[in-house]
Amino acid sequence: MAAEEDVRLMREALNLARSTEGRTSPDPMVGAVLVKDGKILATGYHAEVTTPHAEAWAIEKAGEAARGATLYVNLEPCCFFETKNNPPCTQTIIRSGIRKVVAAMEDPNPSVAGKGIAELREAGVEVEVGVLEEEAKRLNEVFIKYITTGRPFVILKTAMSLDGKIATAAGESFWITGIEARKRGHHLRNIVDAVLVGINTILKDNPELTVREIEGRIKNPRKIILDPQARLPLTSKVLKIEPQNTLVIVSGRAPKSRIEKIKAKKAQVLILRNKNGLFPMDRLMKELGRQQVTSILIEGGGSTNARALSAGIVDKVNFFISPKIIGGSDSPTPVEGEGIDSLSKAIKLKELACERIGEDLLLSGYIIH
């Protein structure tokens, strides 16, 4: 069992890493704390993909005082040249004279995967691994999924009434949940690489798919629209606000004239094979992974949600539940499609959590694959 002081200092490193959430993709979130004689000498965190790594930043701030110190870091130090601006942290640590490194977990990146720890030990640096390991893995769950599979971590988010409706039978859905829940939804957009919807959501709601209603620094996600026939209106908000950040997925049967008009609006278009008008979601995730999209927030309607869940691409779900009852057999639900014919086939969740968000509830959990 880790010593109380080790836990305290590792938690500080985790908090530093968490402060960069949504800013380091495709890199992990990393925080570092440099300690000597019971006092914190310096801290660092990996702020952006092009900025120095957390360990290097803390060591630079500490200077010569780093000699003989202990470094707490939530991820195994890297041992390869990522860019010319970020040389191997292992070499920086060794040159600094640091006595001991306490890492929460090994780096799952195949380029590291224990090699950094071995290099430090060979150089005479004491290394301890495993302090708050589970917390560290949860913090970097997006990075772990992406670096080990090449596919993005997928979150499905929906807002519904207490009786499971996402709109009235007439199609009204603004607003089922309250302002605090909507702010949390915008926070989710702010920390993912991309948000994905189907064309019907665009046609019905004409959303911006941008980050609003939250304070602090914002980063609009990439907007991905599933649009087999290239029906995206040229006047839609996604083509007016940062159109270059919009990716429209179309089929080979989409009219070429429509594709060219969408491209003329500066949006990107990806032609993907489909079957009966439906895109193979796993193939799409593989392609987006190649484009270094590490995380996706699905904000689609019942059809898109059903297809994502049945394809097995969803990792986590966030269901915002409003204390309203809508009713109506024709009112849409968050997961439609064909459904299942046996409860034994139901999609199951683990690590279910419930949180009060203003007047609403947020139920979240991880899909059991």
Side-chain angles (χ1 to χ4, degrees), residues 134-202:
E134 291 308 311
E135 289 185 32
K137 287 180 177 179
R138 182 62 71 223
L139 175 69
N140 272 311
E141 61 189 5
V142 167
F143 171 74
I144 293 171
K145 165 84 181 286
Y146 175 71
I147 204 67
T148 57
T149 68
R151 289 167 168 75
F153 186 92
V154 179
I155 305 167
L156 188 152
K157 172 246 173 184
T158 192
M160 66 182 187
S161 62
L162 191 61
D163 58 334
K165 308 295 184 180
I166 61 173
T168 67
E172 182 183 351
S173 60
F174 299 118
W175 295 99
I176 284 181
T177 53
I179 183 63
E180 294 304 319
R182 297 200 297 274
K183 285 181 178 179
R184 179 64 69 87
H186 281 277
H187 168 73
L188 289 172
R189 286 184 186 176
N190 197 36
I191 62 174
V192 296
D193 288 348
V195 58
L196 182 149
V197 299
I199 185 59
N200 288 333
T201 293
I202 299 292

Side-chain angles (χ1 to χ4, degrees), residues 285-300:
M285 293 303 108
K286 187 175 182 180
E287 173 59 33
L288 293 173
R290 280 197 289 263
Q291 296 184 26
Q292 291 195 322
V293 175
T294 69
S295 56
I296 294 174
L297 180 66
I298 296 179
E299 293 194 54

Side-chain angles (χ1 to χ4, degrees), residues 52-288:
H53 287 176
E55 304 95 315
W57 189 2
I59 291 168
E60 181 180 345
K61 287 193 284 186
E64 284 299 316
R67 189 165 298 279
T70 297
L71 177 69
Y72 290 82
V73 62
N74 62 292
L75 187 69
E76 173 186 3
C78 68
C79 55
F80 67 99
F81 268 93
E82 183 179 33
T83 67
K84 63 180 180 180
N85 295 325
N86 285 319
C89 287
T90 49
Q91 291 301 307
T92 303
I93 291 167
I94 292 167
R95 286 195 303 271
S96 72
I98 284 174
R99 178 183 63 84
K100 181 179 179 180
V101 171
V102 181
M105 60 176 285
E106 286 191 8
D107 189 338
N109 186 339
S111 298
V112 185
K115 300 183 185 73
I117 293 168
E119 184 177 332
L120 291 171
R121 285 175 173 160
E122 288 172 8
V125 179
E126 182 183 350
V127 181
E128 180 181 348
V129 183
V131 177
L132 298 184
E133 182 175 7
E134 291 308 311
E135 289 185 32
K137 287 180 177 179
R138 182 62 71 223
L139 175 69
N140 272 311
E141 61 189 5
V142 167
F143 171 74
I144 293 171
K145 165 84 181 286
Y146 175 71
I147 204 67
T148 57
T149 68
R151 289 167 168 75
F153 186 92
V154 179
I155 305 167
L156 188 152
K157 172 246 173 184
T158 192
M160 66 182 187
S161 62
L162 191 61
D163 58 334
K165 308 295 184 180
I166 61 173
T168 67
E172 182 183 351
S173 60
F174 299 118
W175 295 99
I176 284 181
T177 53
I179 183 63
E180 294 304 319
R182 297 200 297 274
K183 285 181 178 179
R184 179 64 69 87
H186 281 277
H187 168 73
L188 289 172
R189 286 184 186 176
N190 197 36
I191 62 174
V192 296
D193 288 348
V195 58
L196 182 149
V197 299
I199 185 59
N200 288 333
T201 293
I202 299 292
L203 296 175
K204 183 173 75 72
D205 298 334
N206 192 22
E208 294 181 14
L209 301 181
T210 56
V211 178
R212 306 178 305 282
E213 299 186 12
I214 62 173
E215 298 178 356
R217 186 178 177 189
I218 65 171
K219 171 188 67 67
N220 286 327
R222 194 175 186 185
K223 297 165 285 187
I224 301 174
I225 296 135
L226 305 181
D227 185 12
Q229 296 302 316
R231 293 188 293 153
L232 180 65
L234 301 180
T235 57
S236 61
K237 291 178 180 177
V238 293
L239 293 180
K240 288 185 176 181
I241 302 171
E242 299 183 7
Q244 73 282 358
N245 205 26
T246 298
L247 174 63
V248 185
I249 313 296
V250 303
S251 73
R253 294 184 178 182
K256 289 184 172 58
S257 60
R258 290 291 305 169
I259 292 175
E260 292 307 314
K261 287 178 181 179
I262 292 172
K263 287 182 176 180
K265 290 289 185 177
K266 299 183 179 179
Q268 303 169 60
V269 175
L270 173 65
I271 299 175
L272 194 68
R273 290 182 184 176
N274 71 341
K275 184 177 181 181
N276 299 324
L278 302 177
F279 294 112
M281 300 295 269
D282 187 65
R283 186 183 301 167
L284 175 58
M285 293 303 108
K286 187 175 182 180
E287 173 59 33
L288 293 173

